[in-house]
Amino acid sequence: MNKVSFALIASLTACAYHAHAERSELAQLIPFNISENRADIALTEFAQQSNLTIIVPYDKVVSVTTRELVGTYSVIDAAITLLEGSGLHLSVNNNGQLFIRTDNDLEGKHSMLHKNKLSTAVVLAISSLATAHSLAQDSQAKDIEELVVTGYRGSLMKSMDEKRNAVNGKESIMAEDIGKFPDLNIAESIQRIPGVAISREGGEGRNITLRGFSPSFTRTTLNGMEVPAGSDGLDSGGVTINASRAFDFHVFASELFNRVDIQKTTTASMEEGGIAGTVDLYSAKPFDFDGFKFATSLQNGYNDLSEKNDPRLAFMVSDTFADDKFGALLSVAYSERTVRQEGFGTVRWTTPVATNNIYPTTATPVVNGDIAEDNCALNGSAVAPINCLWAPRLPRADYFGNDQERLGVTTSLQYRPTDNAEITLDILHSELSNNRVNYNSMEWFLTHNEITPLEITVAPDGKRILAGTYDDVESWIESRDQTSDSTFDQFVLSGEFTLSDALTLNAMVGKATNEADREEVRFYYISDSHQYSFDFSDNLDIPEVSWGEGYDYYDPENYQVTTANNRSNYVKKDNLTSKIDLTFTQDRYSIETGIAYNDRKVESREGNGNYPAAFSAVGYTKDLPVSNFGKGLDGNLVPFLVADFDAIYRDNRIAKDYTDNPAAAWIVGEETLAAFIELNSNVDVGSMLLKTNFGVRAVNTDVTSQAWINGSPVEVKRDYKNFLPSMNFSLDVTEDVVTRLSYGKTMTRPDLGSLNIAGPNFGYTTRTVSNLGNPGLNPFESNDIDLSAEWYFAEEALLAVNYFYKNVTTSLKTDIVEKLIDPEYHAAILADPQYDEAYNADPRTVPYTHYIPVNDNEGFDVKGYELIYQQTLSFLPGFLSNLGVVTNFTHVSAGDMTGLSENSYNMTVFYEQDNYGLRVSANNRDDYLLSIPGGNGHVAEMKYGPTHIDFSSFYNVSDNLTLTFEVINLTDEVERIYGTGDGTMDLTREINHTGRQLFVGVRYSL
């Protein structure tokens, strides 16, 4: 009889079976010949030789060794002899099932076992595809019924097993099937992970913050290779086009992926670059499925603010051929999204003294209330106290409209000519296009000496103007037409080759390219001067506003049109990766070594268009293109005139023809060559199993920074080396408790803006250098320690605590440095028409004062803890047993680090039966720092930490057909940025919302 291992009980697929054994069989005398071995292997042989079915919890026997069993025994006596001293016992439950229990089993059975008939099979977990295939054939021959735990609950079980079996700190998100990723956006799924927070734009997750670090400190891979992904953004996010190391997750449709791993601690075999951690994305492959697979989903999205319907569809088809030697998979995902983002902004508050521009001395406004500052002064001279009061710089109503299209396509081809070789080609293509029209109705308070305060009301704190009426104010209506496209392509060829029983070779070569471009035409419609009033008395975020009597705010004749911007931007990111690993494996240890080569390049270009002379707004205005402006906000937004772009383009008032601006162009390239060696082993420590990982990685980085300065090409080359040791320990203290200890030295390379040398300012008379990057920067370096304890106290249950400490020993700062200008710039300076020898500022001999980024060896610490609780509440009576909860809390302490929320939590409550299920998820993070100091006199600028609540549900009409209903942002949470003024204040810079997104869908699979 051949060895049979059928169900993946706890490690891979959460299958479970019921086996029946007649008690008469237990007394039968049977000859046994089983050597001392690992319990899963010994029990397989035991079942073969006794011709019985036994249910075995794989995760609880794989680390146990059994005794030798040779001779003729009854089944009962044989089991006692085989399992003596192992902590395992053969038992029979009330249903007549034979199963293995442990000393710690209270009920002697696993809650996930379901009642089905087996004849002669051992229920053991398996891990190889080849074994899985043979078992599938066995099950068909024996007409075995299989019951698989599916849905969100099944995904959680897979993820928990991945976490438990890893030697390093790791979290996973597993899609139960293609197109069934837990969230509609990859970033929003990742935010459910402990330690992860996300930043949103236009109501959609864009970047992630892992354990307090900004997005550029997290490395992202796709199908095994590091990849770039960038797109454009709103000006409130400070992004024209993402040319940094930060990964824009919203470029990809979530339907393209079936797994995400978040590596929180490092190993030597992992490529360097992520101090915060590494996010590994995986698309589906044909050998993931058994033969033919087809799945499709169709959803209609409705936003209750835009009141638009948007389609979202995906399909995948996969099959294997030629006796499963060849497989092919194709998946396509397409979606449209209509975004309507509305709110009010001030573009920061400020004081006249902070801007060095005070109200006219002739102004004698009526002041209601008391001003806190008695001694208001500018440059040492006393000025009127009202000049120390905070007031909005550009009070404005905001409208951001965006029509978005996203397309993703994956292709995977696999070839397995023998059991010892598997070759995979993965191809991924993604497109994201945005057509934006942005409108803002600003009142011009930037030049305080040109406006006249007539009456003001001071807030109770005496520091800000709560309400005010002013004369001589201009209305500036800003209208922007933006189009952007981001295209991503990746090709990865990989292979796994078994050279012998002990030796495995893995090789990969891949190329990824991301191109993002944007065109923007921006106009200001500037009005005649008039009176204007604002009043924040009833709402500190959105004021009541009005204009003076006799002034028609909506009359186009009151406006002149000027061109504020007509520009294009283009960023191209290229990554080329090749690596080869060799692994030598024995029973309880393995040695892995390898080398990796990466060639990364980022190119940025800018184009300038024409700027026509000012013209009358008559004939070039239209009403704001929404009828219910401000719907859903706590406050009144007043509609306003906007630019009629169609009329402007029709009359050729402006052209979208762009001339390349060489002075703004730059290229930064990095070539890295790395080698590593790593030892993995399993060691018995008494009755405990210790999994260890030791390794070291060495990497050399060559940096090249190129730009065009004063008409001359300039190229600067630098290099550095890093030595990165790491170790991970995972100890199975008991069958249910796992503890981990990790140490690693990690690095993150400087952001590209710090390496960019384009557009420097050379002051020849002052002998100064500013706005110049530093390609000679060394990377951030950190010594990381992680300690965790995980208690798997019941089936589908986990209680865990993780502590982490990162000592960043090398970081960056902008400093003043006296030195000679580097020789690479000499030719460009001497060719500059502004340079004159009479200045006695020869860059070859005279030191200049440099204001440049430099390395800072003072360092800083990031530390914190994560608490995790997850459980299916199967112990509850009746229908309540289908409830479950997944929750985590993270606390991070890191001082004044931008993007850091000190506290964050996630919670999901789900209810799931075979035919239907639903879940509600909440995600919250504390307010976090955007900049320190803030602009316009603020001590700091902050971002409000929202609480986002999402809902998801499904109903299985049949085994193949499922209906779905989902709501994203159930409470229509607002996004808000504010300044702290003197450090104690809360002054809204902008507040907006995007509405609730509802999805009704259907999914079909074969």
Side-chain angles (χ1 to χ4, degrees):
M1 175 180 169
N2 296 326
K3 178 193 290 188
V4 179
S5 298
F6 188 71
L8 312 185
I9 288 192
S11 63
L12 293 179
T13 64
C15 302
Y17 301 89
H18 172 84
H20 177 72
E22 296 293 340
R23 293 185 179 271
S24 60
E25 296 177 324
L26 305 183
Q28 180 182 354
L29 294 178
I30 299 172
F32 291 94
N33 186 1
I34 303 173
S35 60
E36 181 178 339
N37 212 328
R38 216 171 60 202
D40 59 330
I41 298 173
L43 287 168
T44 299
E45 295 179 357
F46 185 88
Q48 292 174 340
Q49 295 175 25
S50 62
N51 198 30
L52 290 174
T53 298
I54 307 174
I55 300 173
V56 180
Y58 177 73
D59 60 311
K60 297 187 178 183
V61 304
V62 68
S63 60
V64 177
T65 301
T66 58
R67 297 183 58 188
E68 179 183 70
L69 177 65
V70 179
T72 301
Y73 298 88
S74 69
V75 170
I76 295 176
D77 290 338
I80 293 173
T81 303
L82 178 71
L83 301 176
E84 183 179 358
S86 67
L88 304 177
H89 308 276
L90 182 68
S91 298
V92 182
N93 66 16
N94 294 333
N95 297 316
Q97 298 169 299
L98 278 179
F99 63 92
I100 295 296
R101 67 174 178 84
T102 70
D103 288 336
N104 295 328
D105 285 337
L106 297 178
E107 298 179 352
K109 62 180 181 178
H110 294 273
S111 62
M112 289 310 301
L113 297 180
H114 293 263
K115 299 177 182 179
N116 292 291
K117 295 278 182 158
L118 286 177
S119 55
T120 54
V122 179
V123 184
L124 290 172
I126 59 174
S127 58
S128 71
L129 290 173
T131 308
H133 175 65
S134 67
L135 295 177
Q137 293 177 327
D138 287 344
S139 68
Q140 292 171 359
K142 296 177 171 55
D143 193 26
I144 299 170
E145 180 185 353
E146 178 181 350
L147 185 63
V148 180
V149 178
T150 61
Y152 180 68
R153 181 176 167 189
S155 299
L156 291 176
M157 291 180 67
K158 295 179 188 178
S159 301
M160 186 187 296
D161 289 333
E162 283 293 320
K163 177 182 179 67
R164 182 171 186 169
N165 294 327
V167 68
N168 66 315
K170 176 181 178 181
E171 310 282 354
S172 295
I173 306 170
M174 314 284 281
E176 176 208 350
D177 201 350
I178 191 72
K180 296 178 70 174
F181 215 77
D183 290 273
L184 297 175
N185 177 283
I186 287 291
E188 290 160 4
S189 284
I190 295 175
Q191 76 173 334
R192 314 288 182 205
I193 294 295
V196 176
I198 68 171
S199 60
R200 293 174 183 257
E201 185 173 282
E204 184 176 40
R206 176 168 181 168
N207 303 124
I208 72 166
T209 297
L210 179 56
R211 287 183 163 177
F213 286 88
S214 64
S216 59
F217 284 85
T218 299
R219 180 174 163 271
T220 303
T221 73
L222 174 54
N223 292 325
M225 70 166 288
E226 183 178 334
V227 289
S231 65
D232 78 327
L234 299 177
D235 64 347
S236 60
V239 176
T240 302
I241 294 183
N242 177 6
S244 72
R245 298 186 190 275
F247 189 88
D248 286 344
F249 285 89
H250 70 315
V251 168
F252 300 113
S254 63
E255 291 91 342
L256 301 180
F257 305 101
N258 61 358
R259 174 175 171 175
V260 176
D261 290 338
I262 296 88
Q263 311 286 352
K264 291 185 174 179
T265 68
T266 189
T267 66
S269 57
M270 290 168 52
E271 289 192 58
E272 73 290 338
I275 285 180
T278 296
V279 176
D280 298 319
L281 307 174
Y282 297 94
S283 59
K285 297 170 178 54
F287 287 167
D288 293 345
F289 309 101
D290 183 14
F292 179 77
K293 177 70 176 179
F294 173 79
T296 185
S297 63
L298 175 64
Q299 291 178 300
N300 179 68
Y302 176 80
N303 185 280
D304 69 347
L305 179 60
S306 68
E307 300 180 349
K308 298 290 185 180
N309 291 283
D310 296 319
R312 186 182 182 105
L313 57 93
F315 80 87
M316 184 213 71
V317 60
S318 175
D319 204 356
T320 56
F321 313 94
D323 296 326
D324 294 331
K325 291 183 177 180
F326 181 78
L329 179 146
L330 172 69
S331 71
V332 178
Y334 174 81
S335 65
E336 296 178 5
R337 186 165 175 264
T338 305
V339 182
R340 177 174 157 187
Q341 184 171 332
E342 297 177 355
F344 190 87
T346 61
V347 199
R348 299 190 188 96
W349 293 62
T350 192
T351 66
V353 295
T355 61
N356 201 32
N357 183 277
I358 61 174
Y359 296 119
T361 57
T362 57
T364 56
V366 176
V367 178
N368 303 306
D370 297 324
I371 300 175
E373 181 60 66
D374 294 328
N375 301 311
C376 188
L378 176 64
N379 299 325
S381 300
V383 295
I386 60 172
N387 291 292
C388 285
L389 291 173
W390 294 82
R393 294 171 66 240
L394 292 168
R396 69 184 197 182
D398 297 328
Y399 172 89
F400 304 98
N402 185 26
D403 291 324
Q404 182 186 88
E405 289 186 53
R406 181 163 42 209
L407 171 69
V409 181
T410 72
T411 300
S412 183
L413 304 175
Q414 290 188 291
Y415 178 51
R416 187 189 294 138
T418 69
D419 291 340
N420 297 324
E422 183 174 298
I423 301 170
T424 302
L425 174 64
D426 288 310
I427 302 172
L428 191 146
H429 173 80
S430 181
E431 298 176 8
L432 176 68
S433 64
N434 292 299
N435 294 311
R436 293 190 175 100
V437 284
N438 303 335
Y439 304 117
N440 314 103
S441 62
M442 303 182 293
E443 301 300 323
W444 197 260
F445 279 67
L446 292 185
T447 49
H448 297 94
N449 63 325
E450 297 179 0
I451 62 175
T452 304
L454 302 177
E455 182 177 3
I456 63 171
T457 299
V458 182
D461 64 2
K463 299 178 182 181
R464 62 179 284 183
I465 297 176
L466 195 63
T469 299
Y470 298 79
D471 202 0
D472 306 315
V473 179
E474 294 177 343
S475 297
W476 288 50
I477 297 177
E478 182 181 55
S479 298
R480 286 174 283 179
D481 178 23
Q482 299 170 337
T483 59
S484 69
D485 294 284
S486 178
T487 303
F488 176 90
D489 288 287
Q490 184 198 42
F491 303 86
V492 177
L493 180 64
S494 60
E496 181 177 350
F497 307 93
T498 302
L499 305 180
S500 69
D501 289 342
L503 207 57
T504 303
L505 176 71
N506 286 275
M508 186 269 281
V509 60
K511 181 175 176 59
T513 301
N514 179 228
E515 293 184 82
D517 61 79
R518 175 166 103 159
E519 296 178 353
E520 180 186 82
V521 174
R522 184 188 310 195
F523 292 107
Y524 289 136
Y525 284 49
I526 305 175
S527 76
D528 300 331
S529 296
H530 53 78
Q531 280 193 16
Y532 172 77
S533 299
F534 64 81
D535 189 347
F536 287 93
S537 299
D538 296 327
N539 189 321
L540 295 178
D541 294 320
I542 303 175
E544 293 290 333
V545 300
S546 62
W547 292 265
E549 291 186 11
Y551 177 76
D552 188 353
Y553 179 63
Y554 299 98
D555 186 354
E557 292 188 357
N558 290 330
Y559 296 88
Q560 287 286 308
V561 184
T562 63
T563 305
N565 191 37
N566 186 15
R567 190 175 70 186
S568 66
N569 293 91
Y570 170 83
V571 173
K572 182 180 180 181
K573 300 180 181 180
D574 276 306
N575 281 24
L576 173 67
T577 298
S578 59
K579 55 187 176 183
I580 185 168
D581 298 345
L582 191 64
T583 305
F584 177 75
T585 304
Q586 291 297 295
D587 286 343
R588 308 207 75 183
Y589 75 89
S590 67
I591 300 174
E592 185 176 357
T593 185
I595 58 174
Y597 169 79
N598 281 277
D599 185 0
R600 309 180 189 92
K601 184 168 69 174
V602 179
E603 176 183 0
S604 177
R605 295 191 175 276
E606 182 180 297
N608 294 326
N610 68 313
Y611 286 75
F615 56 93
S616 171
V618 176
Y620 300 108
T621 65
K622 66 178 183 180
D623 293 335
L624 187 71
V626 292
S627 59
N628 54 354
F629 187 48
K631 171 187 174 182
L633 274 177
D634 180 18
N636 181 38
L637 297 184
V638 178
F640 51 95
L641 291 177
V642 299
D644 186 343
F645 284 104
D646 290 338
I648 291 172
Y649 297 143
R650 179 198 64 208
D651 293 349
N652 297 316
R653 285 289 185 177
I654 201 167
K656 286 189 174 183
D657 296 324
Y658 301 101
T659 303
D660 191 39
N661 178 12
W666 55 269
I667 297 175
V668 172
E670 288 176 342
E671 287 187 75
T672 67
L673 182 63
F676 77 92
I677 186 167
E678 183 176 276
L679 170 65
N680 294 278
S681 64
N682 291 341
V683 180
D684 291 325
V685 181
S687 61
M688 300 180 293
L689 176 66
L690 175 65
K691 291 182 283 189
T692 66
N693 166 269
F694 296 92
V696 63
R697 188 177 190 89
V699 57
N700 181 79
T701 304
D702 292 306
V703 179
T704 303
S705 188
Q706 300 170 285
W708 194 267
I709 302 175
N710 298 328
S712 300
V714 176
E715 180 179 87
V716 179
K717 292 187 176 182
R718 302 288 186 266
D719 66 86
Y720 52 85
K721 294 178 174 62
N722 294 92
F723 188 72
L724 307 171
S726 62
M727 60 184 71
N728 294 271
F729 302 92
S730 175
L731 179 65
D732 291 346
V733 179
T734 69
E735 294 175 351
D736 300 323
V737 177
V738 179
T739 60
R740 303 181 194 275
L741 173 65
S742 300
Y743 164 78
K745 187 171 186 178
T746 57
M747 60 175 281
T748 290
R749 295 180 173 89
D751 217 349
L752 301 174
S754 300
L755 306 175
N756 166 21
I757 61 173
N761 295 322
F762 295 112
Y764 304 123
T765 58
T766 57
R767 298 183 183 88
T768 57
V769 179
S770 60
N771 196 43
L772 179 65
N774 182 3
L777 290 171
N778 290 321
F780 292 81
E781 291 183 323
S782 178
N783 292 305
D784 306 335
I785 296 175
D786 283 69
L787 180 64
S788 66
E790 301 159 12
W791 181 25
Y792 299 87
F793 58 92
E795 291 291 345
E796 304 179 75
L798 168 65
L799 186 63
V801 57
N802 306 328
Y803 171 80
F804 56 90
Y805 171 77
K806 295 178 182 288
N807 173 226
V808 182
T809 58
T810 304
S811 59
L812 304 181
K813 66 178 180 179
T814 299
D815 208 349
I816 302 174
V817 181
E818 290 283 341
K819 68 168 190 170
L820 292 173
I821 292 177
D822 292 333
E824 290 92 344
Y825 303 100
H826 291 172
I829 291 174
L830 297 175
D832 186 355
Q834 302 298 319
Y835 175 77
D836 193 321
E837 290 184 0
Y839 296 146
N840 295 318
D842 189 335
R844 296 165 293 189
T845 59
V846 177
Y848 279 57
T849 301
H850 290 66
Y851 299 85
I852 58 172
V854 297
N855 285 116
D856 180 5
N857 294 321
E858 291 186 8
F860 59 91
D861 294 338
V862 177
K863 55 187 176 181
Y865 58 87
E866 300 160 349
L867 304 176
I868 306 168
Y869 168 63
Q870 175 177 327
Q871 187 173 16
T872 299
L873 307 179
S874 54
F875 57 86
L876 294 177
F879 73 95
L880 295 176
S881 63
N882 296 303
L883 280 170
V885 62
V886 182
T887 185
N888 58 74
F889 171 82
T890 301
H891 174 81
V892 185
S893 175
D896 294 329
M897 179 180 282
T898 58
L900 169 67
S901 291
E902 189 173 68
N903 300 296
S904 62
Y905 70 81
N906 299 280
M907 175 176 283
T908 296
V909 177
F910 64 90
Y911 183 90
E912 195 163 290
Q913 293 189 350
D914 290 341
N915 293 328
Y916 66 91
L918 56 87
R919 70 178 189 269
V920 178
S921 298
N923 173 271
N924 170 268
R925 62 183 300 189
D926 284 354
D927 295 6
Y928 56 95
L929 181 67
L930 291 179
S931 63
I932 186 170
N936 306 111
H938 289 265
V939 171
E941 196 159 33
M942 305 289 293
K943 183 79 177 283
Y944 164 68
T947 300
H948 285 279
I949 299 176
D950 304 320
F951 171 83
S952 178
S953 63
F954 72 89
Y955 176 75
N956 292 327
V957 178
S958 67
D959 290 342
N960 306 108
L961 185 64
T962 300
L963 304 179
T964 62
F965 175 67
E966 302 172 62
V967 184
I968 307 301
N969 192 17
L970 187 65
T971 58
D972 189 15
E973 182 72 306
V974 299
E975 297 288 316
R976 180 172 172 266
I977 297 174
Y978 62 94
T980 63
D982 62 4
T984 65
M985 307 174 74
D986 183 339
L987 303 172
T988 300
R989 170 180 149 181
E990 64 179 68
I991 184 169
N992 56 65
H993 74 139
T994 54
R996 301 169 187 82
Q997 192 79 15
L998 291 77
F999 288 90
V1000 177
V1002 61
R1003 183 166 50 240
Y1004 181 81
S1005 63
L1006 284 175

